[in-house]
Amino acid sequence: TGRTRPERLLQYLQKNGTRGDANNVVDTIDRFCGTVEWAMNVGGEKGKIVDKVVLETNPGTVLELGTYCGYSAVRMGRLLAPGSRLITLEMNPAYAKVAKEVIAFAGLDKQVEVLVGSTTELIPQLKKKLDIDTFDMIFLDHWKQSYLPDTKLLEECGLLRKGTVLLADNVICPGTPDYLQYVRSSPKYLSQHFPSVLEYTNAPDGLEKSVYLG
Ligand SMILES: O=C(NCCCOCn1ccc2cnccc21)c1cc(-c2ccc(F)cc2)cc(O)c1O
Ligand SMILES: [Mg+2]
């Protein structure tokens, strides 16, 4: 009876999930999207690649662009060391409201903070707003045409440091051609492609991991 897909996803989680169990939250959302209703979470297949990159990077600070229902915030947050922080930006207030409830349901509301607003408005404010100088990892999952301008904005705002890992979703589907061209040709990045499939389908998609060289 939820009016929107995020609300139906949250209701399914509250009915079928285990409060305080982040692994169960990830699996329960994947089951909803695989059996009831598709939704644009990074999903289980690409999610396994995200897990690997997070575990290898072991970031103390993570910035996510594009929260949606909070699936990837929970997926990454569940792997962070105690004391680490994940900041996630969402411009749609209705999505942000659902995400905050999903994150709290998973028991990660201490590590994960949802900020409501656009990247162009929020990225320049992050140093002031948060007690964070630079980010160890960025997960890009918002408007595909915003990946490139927002990466340049992150550089300009001094939020990246030598070794910051940028991980971008959907670089094949829907696709982010200008971003890919930039990170693969710029001397400031070392890029690696991870082919996969679009969440809950067998359509080709992939993630791009790009290390900022400063
Ligand atoms: O569009 C997608 N995501 C973006 C949402 C809006 O984000 C807007 N947004 C969120 C914070 C934020 C901050 N500032 C500005 C805009 C900001 C997206 C789309 C698909 C997809 C693939 C195939 C299809 F047939 C249909 C859809 C898959 C994905 O995995 C995605 O991530
Ligand atoms: Mg995505």
Side-chain angles (χ1 to χ4, degrees), residues 30-204:
D30 281 336
R31 190 165 63 250
F32 174 76
C33 298
T35 64
V36 180
E37 204 170 351
W38 187 92
M40 58 181 171
N41 315 122
V42 73
E45 286 312 309
K46 288 186 288 180
K48 288 190 188 81
I49 300 167
V50 173
D51 290 356
K52 195 170 66 69
V53 173
V54 170
L55 289 168
E56 277 166 5
T57 309
N58 190 27
T61 53
V62 183
L63 176 64
E64 174 179 69
L65 309 180
T67 316
Y68 189 44
C69 295
Y71 172 92
S72 45
V74 168
R75 184 144 203 144
M76 293 188 285
R78 84 194 206 281
L79 300 176
L80 298 182
S84 300
R85 294 174 70 189
L86 190 153
I87 311 298
T88 180
L89 311 187
E90 178 49 57
M91 69 172 289
N92 180 316
Y95 291 175
K97 182 177 180 300
V98 166
K100 284 175 183 173
E101 296 189 48
V102 168
I103 290 158
F105 188 92
L108 292 171
D109 45 299
K110 298 289 172 291
Q111 291 99 306
V112 177
E113 185 175 358
V114 182
L115 299 181
V116 185
S118 74
T119 47
T120 45
E121 169 209 335
L122 289 174
I123 285 176
Q125 296 176 12
L126 289 179
K127 281 191 190 261
K128 200 167 49 297
K129 267 175 102 87
L130 311 161
D131 182 16
I132 288 175
D133 182 29
T134 59
F135 286 98
D136 301 324
M137 182 172 173
I138 314 280
F139 183 59
L140 297 94
D141 195 20
H142 62 326
W143 284 334
K144 307 316 159 192
Q145 72 276 15
S146 296
Y147 284 24
L148 181 51
D150 287 346
T151 295
K152 291 179 174 173
L153 183 58
L154 287 164
E155 290 175 17
E156 286 151 21
C157 293
L159 288 163
L160 308 182
R161 51 116 177 129
K162 282 183 182 12
T164 295
V165 171
L166 277 68
L167 186 62
D169 188 26
N170 310 115
V171 299
I172 305 300
C173 174
T176 63
D178 57 344
Y179 172 79
L180 273 188
Q181 201 274 328
Y182 177 72
V183 290
R184 290 175 175 177
S185 61
S186 165
K188 291 189 277 188
Y189 293 90
L190 197 58
S191 270
Q192 182 181 1
H193 185 66
F194 294 88
S196 185
V197 288
L198 176 70
E199 50 267 28
Y200 318 114
T201 78
N202 51 22

